[in-house]
Amino acid sequence: MSTDVRTRPAPPPVRETDPPRPRRRGRGAVVATAVAYLITFVILFPLLWIVLLSFQTNDNILNHPFSLSDLSLANYQRAMETLNLLVMYKNTLILAVVSVTVGLVISYMAAFALTRMVFRGRTQNALRYYFLVGLAIPVYVLLFPVYRLDIAFGLFGSYFALILPYIAVTIPFNILLLTGFLRDFPEEIEQAAVMDGVGLWRMAWKVVFPLMRPVVATLAILNVIYVWNEFPFAVTLINDPTLTTVSLGVSQFQGVYSVDHGAMMASATLVLLPQLVIYAAFQKQVIAGMTAGAVR
């Protein structure tokens, strides 16, 4: 009795594949990377230099600004003794929260009206150009008119002396960015809301506004940074030491005949730190807000 034994063919040997070689970058990519590093260095160099100067003596700052010898915390100690940082941060925070909140509400309502409502004649374009003109007016041109208005209305030397100008100055840029986003907003979402019986007010605040959080977060961060650094309005409209802002605190180390450069650099560093922390914590929101609506 014979049996037919069939054997399966042996599997082909496994060939060891070489690891994928990294692609060579072209000259364009190398140049772009080099330019990006150069721009980063140009932006970070002044900040790092301020931090370095804040640890040096006044003599080294004037004669050897890049010296790494004789570094100490004396400038920070002098700044802490001279400035009431808690009061300064509290005043600036109140100004930022109130002015940014009110400014964003007004800007959003104006942007929604410009992109969703129909005006007679050329009123819509006229209003749009009117807001854009606000971007071209220098702040220093507004100092004297705002000063006279604050005196006339009895607001000079109070929080409202700064809150109202801050709102007015930030509105043009806010409207420019919000209208650009609202123009690319999907119409299907609003049409579905209208068919469900949603009114205009609920449409603006319950349907559209929640989807604009990246843009609103970006504007809020940029406006807070502006209020935090603003100096011309603050030095002109505030005469009460209890209402001193962080930007005014830095100027206290500059006298008529002398300047305490070390303490000024230390106080400037203390002013910059909260801004860097805020931007580092919300940089994703800022990038998302600036690119929102770019691709649809």
Side-chain angles (χ1 to χ4, degrees):
M1 185 176 180
S2 63
T3 59
D4 185 9
V5 180
R6 297 181 179 179
T7 59
R8 297 180 179 178
V14 180
R15 298 178 59 184
E16 296 183 359
T17 58
D18 297 332
R21 297 179 179 179
R23 297 181 178 179
R24 295 182 179 180
R25 296 188 300 176
R27 292 184 178 180
V30 174
V31 172
T33 303
V35 171
Y37 279 113
L38 178 61
I39 294 175
T40 303
F41 174 77
V42 172
I43 294 174
L44 292 180
F45 178 73
L47 301 178
L48 298 177
W49 196 13
I50 290 175
V51 176
L52 175 63
L53 295 179
S54 66
F55 293 100
Q56 297 184 8
T57 62
N58 288 326
D59 182 65
N60 282 348
I61 291 175
L62 296 176
N63 300 318
H64 308 285
F66 295 100
S67 175
L68 297 178
S69 61
D70 299 333
L71 301 180
S72 67
L73 296 175
N75 295 328
Y76 287 93
Q77 182 179 0
R78 200 157 57 252
M80 297 289 289
E81 293 174 353
T82 304
L83 302 177
N84 194 343
L85 293 177
L86 294 179
V87 174
M88 291 165 48
Y89 285 141
K90 182 199 72 173
N91 295 332
T92 308
L93 187 61
I94 292 174
L95 295 172
V97 171
V98 177
S99 60
V100 171
T101 302
V102 177
L104 285 177
V105 171
I106 297 175
S107 302
Y108 173 69
M109 295 175 65
F112 189 85
L114 289 173
T115 55
R116 295 298 184 271
M117 295 183 179
V118 179
F119 296 85
R120 293 182 179 180
R122 300 181 179 179
T123 306
Q124 189 171 10
N125 290 332
L127 289 174
R128 189 175 301 157
Y129 291 134
Y130 172 76
F131 287 118
L132 291 178
V133 167
L135 295 173
I137 299 177
V139 175
Y140 296 97
V141 177
L142 303 174
L143 289 178
F144 183 72
V146 172
Y147 170 78
R148 296 295 298 174
L149 288 174
D150 285 344
I151 294 293
F153 289 102
L155 301 177
F156 182 78
S158 64
Y159 284 127
F160 286 100
L162 293 179
I163 289 175
L164 297 179
Y166 290 165
I167 294 174
V169 170
T170 56
I171 281 178
F173 177 76
N174 294 348
I175 291 179
L176 178 64
L177 198 61
L178 290 172
T179 52
F181 181 84
L182 286 172
R183 287 175 184 172
D184 296 331
F185 193 83
E187 297 180 357
E188 293 79 6
I189 297 177
E190 299 182 47
Q191 293 174 358
V194 171
M195 296 185 65
D196 292 337
V198 176
L200 184 62
W201 183 262
R202 292 183 58 193
M203 171 79 71
W205 294 103
K206 299 294 184 180
V207 178
V208 179
F209 186 77
L211 299 177
M212 299 184 62
R213 290 180 181 177
V215 180
V216 174
T218 300
L219 290 175
I221 295 171
L222 295 178
N223 291 346
V224 167
I225 293 177
Y226 164 75
V227 174
W228 200 272
N229 293 324
E230 202 284 323
F231 181 77
F233 282 123
V235 73
T236 305
L237 305 176
I238 293 296
N239 59 352
D240 188 352
T242 60
L243 299 180
T244 302
T245 62
V246 291
S247 59
L248 284 178
V250 179
S251 64
Q252 293 185 11
F253 296 99
Q254 182 175 359
V256 179
Y257 301 104
S258 63
V259 178
D260 192 345
H261 298 281
M264 183 178 290
M265 294 298 104
S267 58
T269 303
L270 295 175
V271 172
L272 286 172
L273 284 178
Q275 303 177 54
L276 297 178
V277 172
I278 292 174
Y279 188 81
F282 298 100
Q283 61 176 338
K284 292 184 179 180
Q285 285 77 3
V286 174
I287 296 174
M290 296 302 293
T291 57
V295 179
R296 291 235 178 234

